Amino acid sequence: MSGQGTEFLRFTGHRSFAHRLVLSTLTGRPVHISKIRSSSPTHPGLAPHEVSFLRLLEAVTNGSSMEISYSGTTITYHPGLITGTVAGAGATWTGDVIEHVIPANCNRGITYFLLPLALLAPFSKSHMNVRFSGPGVITSATATGDPSVDTFRTAVLPLYNLFGIPAVRIELRVLSRSCAGPGGRGGGGVVELRFASQVRLPKTLHLNRRPGRVRRIRGVAYCTGVSASNNARMIHAAREVLNPLVPDIHVAAQYDQAPLVQVGTDKNQKKRTGIGFGLSLVAESSATGVLYSADEVSPPQGGVVPEDIGKRCAYQLLEVISQGGCVTGLSAPTVLTLMAMGSEDVGRLRLGRDVVGREETIGLARDLKTFKASTWGIRDADEDDSGDVIISVKGTGVGNVGRKTA
Amino acid sequence: AKALHGKRRPFRAADLARFMYDDSLAPRDALKKWRGEDDEEEEQEENIEDEDDDGFFRKVNEDTVDDIESEDRPIPRFDYEDLAAKWSQEDSIETLRTRFATANLLDEQEG
């Protein structure tokens, strides 16, 4: 492949690694990423979660090839076709799902994999059914900044509706919950993503109106392996903060046993891991598709009372709401990427100033430009003094290669 | 009038478009410029280069340490002490109240 004079898009650094690979796969352009943590004295090269993500990409595509240098600091990636779950290809088989095992030394939450995978899934040839299992699946939020599966399900997946990708056919099953294990590494969760809404070309969206008012707050409090009363304490503390503002608050409580994880190679030796508790809150606005989310989890080393977690989560939610805009920093990459990959229309998105003013957003704009997506048009939202910024994105009409003839 | 022109107004959308696609700026510096905080900090950055690296052991300067620490974070770090202080004040709650459905709609014209 490389002998034919293919042009690599060159990147450096480990930032937005997964997202660059997703863009590469969507646009079909090979990438060359160098200097991946090359200055790190202790952990140079690719991290476990990044290697695992590469394996996942290999499983859901056909014809991808990648070369990682000996030190792991340089990688070239030739994207293949996004096939999804097709008979005869993919990783381990159990029915109609691809099973993806995440190693025990992974310190990122499962949403690190779910967010990019959900970006690929609408462009897949057939359904994208992936089950994440193994000793590294952390379904809770993590100290590394990943949201919990509950936030992903309630605050990110509904956004796909706006692009003409029916969210009712996207299912996220949490078969077993787990917080991060000792040292923030590993867990024992099992999560299954069934993404059955493949489209030819996602529509663009216009979220340039005012973001509406927050009408209700939903949430999930989860405990794994600790007393279920922690749920009530977290919910109580969060309500203390939020009740004066919104009367309509419902937080579900989810209690699970800590999952069993195999120790070493011995089948019979197992230990319980992933003990902890956390809270995920989602605020729904009166405008359609405007969702704000917050996540907070107990640190793996413990030492935080549930009241604090509940309060912090509520404060974080207030902060995210006050940042304004129609999309939060968490879901902005997803929305902006789908707009850029979608139909060749101009879509508009209203973002809070602090959401635009994140390094990730700037990096995303540059990455998209490198992948030959059109640059963003940026202007102030003039109709009020919120300081929001309206970004207009012209789609590239990449769409679904596998469904071009259909 | 000159004093007003001397300092650029921060957070202008036109500026952001210029900085965003200027590849010579790191994202962090681009944001600093957009916020209008770039004035004093540039001299400090020069100083780091001046220190000569002696021998095999190079001093890891603060910037690179920061880069290693900075993994992708979908949820940014929040300083919860600050947030707690901010949101326990009546004023900030009242300012935010306009974003909630419980706000009194009669006080303002738009809904």
Side-chain angles (χ1 to χ4, degrees):
Chain A
M1 279 277 278
S2 55
Q4 300 159 2
T6 38
E7 263 181 61
F8 287 105
L9 297 175
R10 285 172 194 280
F11 296 99
T12 53
H14 63 272
R15 298 299 295 269
S16 55
F17 178 81
H19 203 267
R20 281 172 179 165
L21 292 182
V22 164
L23 286 177
S24 159
T25 315
L26 287 176
T27 55
R29 303 177 73 94
V31 287
H32 175 276
I33 304 176
S34 57
K35 291 186 184 160
I36 302 170
R37 299 192 185 84
S38 52
S39 59
S40 162
T42 47
H43 302 287
L46 292 167
H49 56 269
E50 289 163 347
V51 176
S52 188
F53 181 71
L54 282 171
R55 288 189 193 286
L56 175 65
L57 272 184
E58 200 174 25
V60 299
T61 58
N62 186 12
S64 301
S65 69
M66 48 204 84
E67 280 170 41
I68 305 174
S69 73
Y70 188 68
S71 58
T73 52
T74 307
I75 173 181
T76 58
Y77 171 66
H78 276 276
L81 278 177
I82 312 166
T83 49
T85 312
V86 196
T92 329
W93 280 92
T94 42
D96 61 340
V97 290
I98 291 174
E99 181 130 12
H100 185 68
V101 177
I102 293 177
N105 53 0
C106 174
N107 65 351
R108 301 297 300 250
I110 196 62
T111 44
Y112 175 85
F113 302 90
L114 287 173
L115 280 167
L117 184 67
L119 265 180
L120 289 177
F123 302 94
S124 158
K125 198 174 163 92
S126 58
H127 295 182
M128 184 79 86
N129 303 333
V130 180
R131 176 187 291 162
F132 295 92
S133 60
V137 181
I138 309 167
T139 66
S140 73
T142 58
T144 45
D146 293 303
S148 65
V149 277
D150 304 293
T151 304
F152 176 74
R153 177 164 51 195
T154 48
V156 179
L157 285 182
L159 297 176
Y160 281 83
N161 258 333
L162 309 171
F163 291 96
I165 304 166
V168 282
R169 303 196 63 201
I170 312 171
E171 198 185 341
L172 185 73
R173 294 182 192 161
V174 186
L175 304 171
S176 162
R177 281 171 184 270
S178 170
C179 287
R185 290 174 189 282
V190 180
V191 177
E192 195 173 307
L193 178 73
R194 293 182 162 266
F195 205 111
S197 45
Q198 275 70 35
V199 290
R200 164 71 195 91
L201 196 62
K203 291 187 292 196
T204 193
L205 87 176
H206 301 279
L207 271 180
N208 56 341
R209 309 260 175 268
R210 45 181 55 259
R213 290 155 189 280
V214 174
R215 271 195 314 197
R216 54 170 164 250
I217 291 176
R218 295 288 176 267
V220 177
Y222 47 88
C223 282
T224 45
V226 290
S227 158
S229 68
N230 289 322
N231 278 332
R233 289 165 68 186
M234 280 188 288
I235 295 169
H236 187 80
R239 291 188 85 115
E240 246 170 41
V241 177
L242 297 171
N243 254 352
L245 290 161
V246 200
D248 187 0
I249 304 177
H250 278 275
V251 183
Q254 180 82 38
Y255 166 73
D256 295 273
Q257 263 196 321
L260 274 172
V261 176
Q262 193 179 315
V263 182
T265 48
D266 185 7
K267 281 258 181 234
N268 300 320
Q269 241 192 329
K270 293 195 168 180
K271 62 164 185 185
R272 298 230 174 246
T273 185
I275 292 165
F277 51 86
L279 181 61
S280 145
L281 290 174
V282 175
E284 297 171 25
S285 158
S286 53
T288 46
V290 180
L291 298 164
Y292 302 99
S293 63
D295 252 300
E296 190 57 41
V297 72
S298 63
Q301 67 271 19
V304 177
V305 291
E307 278 82 4
D308 280 354
I309 300 291
K311 275 226 164 64
R312 285 180 192 176
C313 193
Y315 288 141
Q316 189 185 334
L317 185 68
L318 290 182
E319 183 69 20
V320 169
I321 292 172
S322 73
Q323 283 175 358
C326 292
V327 168
T328 62
L330 167 66
S331 42
T334 300
V335 172
L336 287 166
T337 309
L338 281 174
M339 285 166 89
M341 294 298 131
S343 63
E344 293 176 81
D345 273 338
V346 177
R348 286 163 297 174
L349 181 67
R350 180 171 169 150
L351 288 177
R353 188 191 272 166
D354 294 324
V355 176
V356 182
R358 291 179 74 196
E359 281 175 51
E360 285 86 348
T361 317
I362 305 278
L364 177 68
R366 291 182 179 177
D367 286 353
L368 282 172
K369 191 189 170 201
T370 319
F371 280 102
K372 294 285 172 352
S374 52
T375 53
W376 295 346
I378 301 166
R379 66 181 174 84
D380 289 315
D382 335 303
E383 57 259 43
D384 52 40
D385 53 353
S386 60
D388 286 355
V389 176
I390 290 183
I391 291 184
S392 34
V393 185
K394 187 175 172 293
T396 47
V398 167
N400 195 330
V401 182
R403 302 205 160 204
K404 221 148 218 172
T405 51
Chain B
K2 203 178 177 191
L4 276 174
H5 277 285
K7 201 153 172 71
R8 260 196 335 268
R9 197 157 58 91
F11 296 115
R12 267 183 50 204
D15 288 340
L16 178 64
R18 213 172 61 228
F19 298 141
M20 193 178 255
Y21 291 113
D22 182 354
D23 284 338
S24 62
L25 290 170
R28 193 177 307 173
D29 300 332
L31 286 175
K32 264 185 199 158
K33 277 197 138 164
W34 188 43
R35 295 194 196 111
E37 320 173 328
D38 57 332
D39 300 330
E40 322 88 55
E41 308 198 9
E42 268 169 35
E43 294 119 51
Q44 291 176 2
E45 278 172 35
E46 301 295 321
N47 292 339
I48 296 170
E49 306 291 321
D50 293 343
E51 294 168 24
D52 51 340
D53 314 320
D54 47 348
F56 182 72
F57 298 102
R58 270 176 300 156
K59 209 168 98 188
V60 183
N61 59 33
E62 278 176 40
D63 281 347
T64 50
V65 171
D66 217 0
D67 272 350
I68 295 162
E69 296 277 301
S70 68
E71 293 285 330
D72 301 330
R73 284 184 72 89
I75 300 177
R77 271 198 183 81
F78 289 101
D79 185 346
Y80 289 103
E81 308 252 311
D82 281 1
L83 286 189
K86 181 177 173 189
W87 294 116
S88 51
Q89 279 169 1
E90 203 64 19
D91 296 353
S92 39
I93 292 279
E94 285 309 313
T95 331
L96 193 64
R97 194 175 281 281
T98 54
R99 301 288 320 282
F100 285 88
T102 49
N104 185 0
L105 297 180
L106 298 173
D107 288 350
E108 39 188 316
Q109 63 272 44
E110 78 265 309

